C-alpha cells in the first residue's frame, strides 16, 4: 500500500497502518456484523411446507396433536422461526406470529433492522473489541511484510525480467497469508463467536447471561472448552481469502495510483483520490472469494463437542454440503454487506494510511 520506491521505516508502516485499521474498523464494523448474521442464517422450510408435512404424517390428527403438541410453540428444529404458534390443536392451516417477533426481509437492511429491534443498536458492534485487539498487529504485519517481501523479491525479479506488477501481486499474496496465520484467524474466531450471540444489548439480565463477554474471555473460554486448535478453525479458507484479497488489493491500488500520478505529473495523490482508488481496488477480491468467507464463517461458528463429528469438517466438504443443502448461491450469502463493508473499509484504510504516512514523512519521523 506504499507504492513509492522510497524505503520507509517499519515503525512508520506500523503506526500508519494501525491508525488506518482503527479508523476503518470503528466506522465499518456494523456492516461486518450484518454480513456475519446473513452468512449464519440457514435456509429453512416455509410455514406452509412444515404444516403440510405435519398434517400428512399423522394418521390420527386429532389424537396425535392432543398428545404431541402440548407446547403450542413449534421448535426451530422443525423449520419455523422462534415465536410462531399454532392457533389450535387441529387447525393446522392457521398460523399466527408472536406479537414480539420482528418481521424483516433477509437482505442487509432487513437484517440490520432485525438486529437493532431485537437486540439494540449497539448489538451492531458486537465483536468490535476482538477487531480492535487484532487490528494494530494485523496492519503492522500486512504493511511491513508486504514491503519486506517486495524488497526481497526485487533483485531476483530484475535479474529474471519479472514485471513489477507480478512482484507486487506475489508480495501482496504472501502478506495476506502471513497476517491470516499470525493474527486474523484467532481474532475472527473470537469476533464471530461474539457476533453470533443473539442476546439483547438493552436487557441487563440477558447481558449477564451471555457466554462470550469480551475478546480475551472469549479466547480463554474457547481454548478451555475446545483446545488451542479451535482458535485456528477455518485457517485454510482464511489464508486463501486474505491472500487473494491482499494480492488483488495491492496490485490494483498500486497500478491505478501510478497511472493517476503519471497522468497528473505528481508524486502523490489527494486524499479523495486515495479514497476512491482504495474503494475500487477493495471490491475486486470479495467477488471472487466470497465462498471462502462463507465456509470460514461456518467453520469458525460451530462448537466442537468431544466424541461428535462436526457438521463441517473442512473447506471442500463444507462447500459441497452448503451447496447441496442450501443451493450454490448460498456460497455467496452476505456478498452485498461484505462489499458494503470492504469497499468503504479499504477506501478509508488507504486514505488514512496515505495521510498519516505523509504527515510522518513531512515531520521527519523515522527517516531512513
Amino acid at each position: 500500500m506504499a507504492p513509492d520506491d522510497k524505503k520507509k521505516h517499519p515503525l512508520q508502516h506500523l503506526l500508519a497502518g494501525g491508525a488506518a485499521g482503527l479508523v476503518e474498523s470503528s466506522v465499518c464494523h456494523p456492516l461486518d456484523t450484518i454480513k456475519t448474521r446473513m452468512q449464519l442464517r440457514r435456509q429453512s422450510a416455509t410455514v406452509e411446507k412444515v404444516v403440510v408435512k405435519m398434517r400428512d404424517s399423522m394418521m390420527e390428527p386429532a389424537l396425535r396433536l392432543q398428545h404431541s403438541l402440548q407446547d403450542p410453540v413449534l421448535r426451530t428444529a422443525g423449520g419455523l422461526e422462534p415465536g410462531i404458534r399454532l392457533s389450535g390443536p387441529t387447525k393446522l392451516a392457521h398460523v399466527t406470529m408472536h406479537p414480539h417477533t420482528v418481521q424483516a426481509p433477509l437482505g442487509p437492511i432487513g437484517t440490520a433492522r432485525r438486529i437493532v429491534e431485537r437486540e439494540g443498536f449497539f448489538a451492531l458492534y458486537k465483536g468490535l473489541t476482538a477487531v480492535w485487539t487484532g487490528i494494530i498487529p494485523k496492519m503492522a504485519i500486512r504493511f511491513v511484510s508486504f514491503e519486506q517481501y517486495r524488497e526481497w523479491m526485487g533483485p531476483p525479479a530484475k535479474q529474471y525480467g519479472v514485471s513489477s506488477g507480478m512482484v507486487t501481486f506475489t508480495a501482496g499474496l504472501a502478506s495476506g497469508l502471513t497476517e491470516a496465520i499470525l493474527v486474523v484467524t484467532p481474532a475472527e474466531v473470537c469476533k464471530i463467536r461474539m457476533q453470533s450471540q443473539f442476546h439483547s444489548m438493552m436487557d441487563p439480565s440477558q447481558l449477564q447471561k451471555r457466554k462470550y463477554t469480551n475478546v480475551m474471555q472469549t479466547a480463554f473460554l474457547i481454548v478451555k472448552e475446545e483446545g488451542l486448535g479451535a482458535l485456528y478453525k477455518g485457517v485454510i479458507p482464511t489464508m486463501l481469502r486474505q491472500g487473494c484479497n491482499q494480492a488483488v488489493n495491492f496490485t490494483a491500488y498500486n497500478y491505478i495510483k501510478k497511472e493517476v500520478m503519471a497522468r497528473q505529473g505528481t508524486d502523490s495523490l489527494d486524499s479523495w483520490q486515495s479514497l476512491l482508488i482504495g474503494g475500487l481496488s477493495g471490491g475486486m477480491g470479495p467477488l471472487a472469494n466470497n465462498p471462502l468467507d462463507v465456509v470460514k464463517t461456518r467453520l469458525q461458528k460451530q462448537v466442537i463437542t468431544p466424541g461428535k463429528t462436526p457438521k463441517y469438517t473442512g473447506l471442500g466438504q463444507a462447500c459441497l454440503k452448503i451447496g447441496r443443502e442450501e443451493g450454490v448461491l448460498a456460497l455467496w450469502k452476505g456478498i452485498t454487506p461484505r462489499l458494503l463493508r470492504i469497499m468503504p473499509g479499504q477506501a478509508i484504510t488507504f486514505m488514512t494510511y496515505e495521510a498519516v504516512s505523509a504527515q510522518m514523512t513531512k515531520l521527519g519521523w523515522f527517516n531512513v
Side-chain angles (χ1 to χ4, degrees), residues 211-252:
K211 183 175 182 180
Y212 304 117
T213 57
N214 59 64
V215 62
M216 296 305 297
Q217 180 266 352
T218 300
F220 281 121
L221 188 58
I222 291 172
V223 171
K224 179 181 177 181
E225 293 182 348
E226 305 171 51
L228 182 62
L231 288 176
Y232 280 88
K233 285 181 181 177
V235 64
I236 299 301
T238 302
M239 289 173 62
L240 294 174
R241 185 199 67 179
Q242 292 301 113
C244 176
N245 277 345
Q246 299 316 316
V248 173
N249 236 350
F250 280 110
T251 304

Side-chain angles (χ1 to χ4, degrees), residues 170-181:
T170 307
L173 175 65
S175 70
L177 296 176
T178 303
E179 71 178 37
I181 295 171

Side-chain angles (χ1 to χ4, degrees), residues 79-274:
L80 296 179
E81 293 283 344
I84 298 179
R85 297 178 180 271
L86 295 179
S87 61
T90 58
K91 296 178 182 180
L92 287 176
H94 181 66
V95 179
T96 59
M97 300 297 296
H98 191 280
H100 298 294
T101 299
V102 178
Q103 301 183 55
L106 300 183
I109 295 177
T111 302
R113 174 176 173 267
R114 176 176 291 181
I115 292 171
V116 171
E117 292 193 22
R118 285 180 172 178
E119 306 169 49
F121 174 77
F122 289 104
L124 293 171
Y125 286 89
K126 287 180 179 178
L128 182 57
T129 55
V131 177
W132 278 344
T133 301
I135 200 71
I136 293 180
K138 170 185 171 180
M139 287 299 180
I141 289 169
R142 176 182 297 180
F143 284 89
V144 174
S145 65
F146 170 72
E147 295 294 341
Q148 192 63 60
Y149 288 134
R150 191 168 65 165
E151 183 180 343
W152 286 343
M153 290 186 287
K158 289 181 180 179
Q159 181 180 352
Y160 294 102
V162 179
S163 66
S164 61
M166 182 56 67
V167 172
T168 300
F169 182 89
T170 307
L173 175 65
S175 70
L177 296 176
T178 303
E179 71 178 37
I181 295 171
L182 297 181
V183 178
V184 177
T185 303
E188 289 205 348
V189 169
C190 296
K191 172 182 72 79
I192 287 171
R193 293 292 181 91
M194 294 169 71
Q195 285 177 326
S196 62
Q197 296 181 116
F198 293 89
H199 61 270
S200 173
M201 299 291 285
M202 300 179 292
D203 187 346
S205 63
Q206 290 192 32
L207 286 175
Q208 292 176 359
K209 295 177 182 178
R210 57 183 172 163
K211 183 175 182 180
Y212 304 117
T213 57
N214 59 64
V215 62
M216 296 305 297
Q217 180 266 352
T218 300
F220 281 121
L221 188 58
I222 291 172
V223 171
K224 179 181 177 181
E225 293 182 348
E226 305 171 51
L228 182 62
L231 288 176
Y232 280 88
K233 285 181 181 177
V235 64
I236 299 301
T238 302
M239 289 173 62
L240 294 174
R241 185 199 67 179
Q242 292 301 113
C244 176
N245 277 345
Q246 299 316 316
V248 173
N249 236 350
F250 280 110
T251 304
Y253 183 81
N254 279 272
Y255 175 79
I256 298 173
K257 178 177 179 178
K258 287 180 178 179
E259 288 295 316
V260 172
M261 289 192 304
R263 289 177 180 272
Q264 294 180 162
T266 60
D267 59 357
S268 62
L269 295 176
D270 293 332
S271 293
W272 68 268
Q273 291 176 318
S274 297

